[in-house]
Amino acid sequence: MAIQYEITGTTAKGIASSIEQGVVDGALAPGAALPPVRRLAERLGVSPGTVATTYKELRRRGIVMTHGRGGTVIAEAPSVASRRPPPVPEGVRDLAGGHPDPAFLPAELPSARLSPGLRSHRARPRLAGLEELTRAWFERDGVPSGHITFAQGALDCIARLLSVELKPGDAVAMEDPGYHHLLDLVPALGLRSVPVAVDDEGIRPDALRAALRAGVRAVVYSPRSQNPYGGWFSEGRRTALLEVLEDAPDVLVIEDDHAADIAGVPLHSLTTGGPARWAQVRTVSKHLGTDLRWGALACDRTTLARHDGRLLLTSGWVSHVLQETVTRLMTDPGTQKLVGAARTAYAERRASLLTALSARGISAYGASGMNVWVPVRDEAAVVNGLRTHGWWVAAGARFRLASAPGVRITTAALAPGEAEPLAAGLAAVLDESQATYGG
């Protein structure tokens, strides 16, 4: 059926925004046919290439579908597919999940009281005790704590930051390879991802500079425990990145320090003496428990106002019961002893696997965090090959935008003595792959 909605715009971004607005308003219903490329180009007075670029971007974001000669139509359910991992087969050692070792998490949660019904949560959304602890938490690593707030985890916080700062079609610089849930989140918000290559020291200055030239409005990165590559900012890398960002004062810099307490390495943050618009996000899920969906945000004054303004209109506040639980765990000596043990164990386990792989001539990366990234030629062949040896690792496809193939191995729960047989199994699989594909 022909559409009646009047599409406007003179650029690919403008046309895409117009079409998306029609979808949001309901004027472009699922299944509605969009005009052929040349016809729409003539109507808008633009080149066919501009319209083709528009349709390509809308297809990538799941807003439209193309059926060959059937033309381009609005998707039945405009969405972005999640990069969910396949189920773990029975009888294998699971090293694919990216989760902490349960042995280092509190076995029981402290009791917490329900808030009195008459308390004004919106007027006082943060418990004073946890706010004080949070400021000290940031200040411990040199992050300015003048403006802080809470959220329901890192993804919730980053989603809110991007949604209040950017509009559909804007570009975000993303680590590549990077955290798969963040890679899903950006297009789900109607934004475009611009890949930024990483190495052992995190995002590369040359790649960030290229992304800024491409017009990104925000950059999201991890200064340590980068997932899945394990990169960690050195002081030199921090300086180089700040020099790049000097030419982009309006870009929002979002620092995801999700594993602050178990990273095992110092923080060299871009938030200190750097960008005018910045935010650092921290969570407790990696060191206190994955069910504790609480995150802390330190940021500049403008970012705080925009984040909390949107929070007030949606969930309003973070559960005071959750806040009280986190407060008690953060001040419990036994829990903090577990966190310290985890920090040491994760570093040892990661190093053990890297050493075992290096001894067999296998390149791998993991300067910090709970994962090791191994470049491979054929991800599926390696994953399935390791399965026959009793190991289950994550194929790198869901962590990548444009980077080369690899597999992610979570070392957090790698027991003493397991690094050697795992490395031996991987070496055997790679040898088989080499024999299959040739030199």
Side-chain angles (χ1 to χ4, degrees):
M1 181 175 68
I3 63 170
Q4 301 299 318
Y5 178 74
E6 186 68 26
I7 299 172
T8 61
T10 56
T11 65
K13 181 191 294 187
I15 299 168
S17 295
S18 174
I19 293 172
E20 185 167 18
Q21 190 60 50
V23 174
V24 171
D25 293 342
L28 292 177
L34 294 178
V37 168
R38 292 190 178 277
R39 185 184 304 168
L40 183 58
E42 291 175 0
R43 183 188 304 168
L44 298 178
V46 300
S47 72
T50 298
V51 176
T53 298
T54 299
Y55 285 3
K56 180 179 179 181
E57 175 61 21
L58 291 174
R59 281 197 302 273
R60 188 186 69 80
R61 285 161 46 194
I63 294 173
V64 304
M65 300 175 62
T66 299
H67 299 298
R69 292 186 178 181
T72 300
V73 301
I74 302 300
E76 288 300 320
S79 62
V80 178
S82 175
R83 307 175 186 220
R84 295 186 182 276
V88 180
E90 294 184 4
V92 296
R93 184 78 167 83
D94 181 12
L95 301 177
H99 303 303
D101 186 344
F104 296 116
L105 299 177
E108 296 183 1
L109 295 179
S111 61
R113 298 166 297 165
L114 292 176
S115 301
L118 296 179
R119 177 182 293 178
S120 177
H121 294 77
R122 290 181 184 271
R124 300 187 62 184
R126 295 181 294 277
L127 297 184
L130 185 55
E131 188 165 355
E132 182 179 348
L133 287 170
T134 300
R135 292 186 191 279
W137 192 23
F138 283 117
E139 290 168 1
R140 179 195 71 187
D141 294 317
V143 178
S145 66
H147 306 289
I148 67 166
T149 190
F150 302 158
Q152 286 95 354
L155 286 172
D156 171 70
C157 186
I158 293 173
R160 193 172 294 111
L161 290 172
L162 292 176
S163 65
V164 298
E165 293 288 342
L166 280 64
K167 62 182 184 299
D170 283 344
V172 182
M174 301 294 293
E175 295 170 323
D176 185 24
Y179 183 40
H180 59 101
H181 288 307
L182 277 174
L183 297 182
D184 289 342
L185 174 64
V186 169
L189 294 173
L191 306 173
R192 294 184 295 112
S193 297
V194 176
V196 177
V198 301
D199 58 23
D200 279 332
E201 295 183 73
I203 55 174
R204 288 172 20 196
D206 60 327
L208 177 60
R209 182 176 288 106
L212 294 174
R213 288 173 177 168
V216 299
R217 294 280 312 283
V219 53
V220 183
Y221 63 90
S222 292
R224 52 184 173 179
S225 299
Q226 195 272 343
N227 185 3
Y229 206 90
W232 161 44
F233 285 3
S234 66
E235 184 61 44
R237 175 59 56 87
R238 172 186 178 274
T239 300
L241 292 171
L242 287 176
E243 290 176 354
V244 173
L245 289 169
E246 284 180 355
D247 296 328
D250 297 328
V251 170
L252 176 62
V253 174
I254 302 176
E255 194 163 275
D256 180 11
D257 195 19
H258 61 278
D261 281 40
I262 46 98
V265 294
L267 173 68
H268 298 295
S269 174
L270 302 186
T271 67
T272 53
R277 299 299 313 284
W278 63 274
Q280 195 198 77
V281 184
R282 293 188 173 189
T283 65
V284 297
S285 60
K286 294 298 185 185
H287 68 280
L288 295 183
T290 53
D291 276 338
L292 295 174
R293 311 307 297 169
W294 176 83
L297 169 67
C299 55
D300 65 87
R301 183 188 299 273
T302 300
T303 300
L304 176 69
R306 293 178 178 176
H307 175 278
D308 279 9
R310 178 63 60 85
L311 179 66
L312 183 65
L313 294 172
T314 54
S315 55
W317 67 89
V318 176
S319 162
H320 281 195
V321 174
L322 176 58
Q323 290 188 46
E324 187 173 334
T325 300
V326 172
T327 300
R328 295 188 181 195
L329 287 173
M330 289 179 74
T331 55
D332 175 60
T335 299
Q336 294 310 305
K337 184 176 180 180
L338 274 177
V339 173
R343 183 164 51 245
T344 300
Y346 293 160
E348 291 174 348
R349 294 170 182 182
R350 187 182 67 252
S352 178
L353 180 58
L354 289 171
T355 299
L357 293 174
S358 177
R360 290 165 174 79
I362 300 173
S363 297
Y365 304 89
S368 62
M370 304 190 303
N371 302 293
V372 166
W373 179 261
V374 183
V376 299
R377 178 180 296 179
D378 187 326
E379 294 177 358
V382 171
V383 170
N384 291 323
L386 276 176
R387 177 181 177 179
T388 66
H389 289 265
W391 307 98
W392 186 248
V393 302
R398 72 179 191 271
F399 304 98
R400 299 188 288 108
L401 292 171
S403 55
V407 295
R408 188 192 73 173
I409 304 174
T410 299
T411 57
L414 196 66
E418 285 189 318
E420 285 295 329
L422 172 58
L426 180 55
V429 170
L430 292 177
D431 285 344
E432 294 168 2
S433 176
Q434 182 75 4
T436 300
Y437 291 102

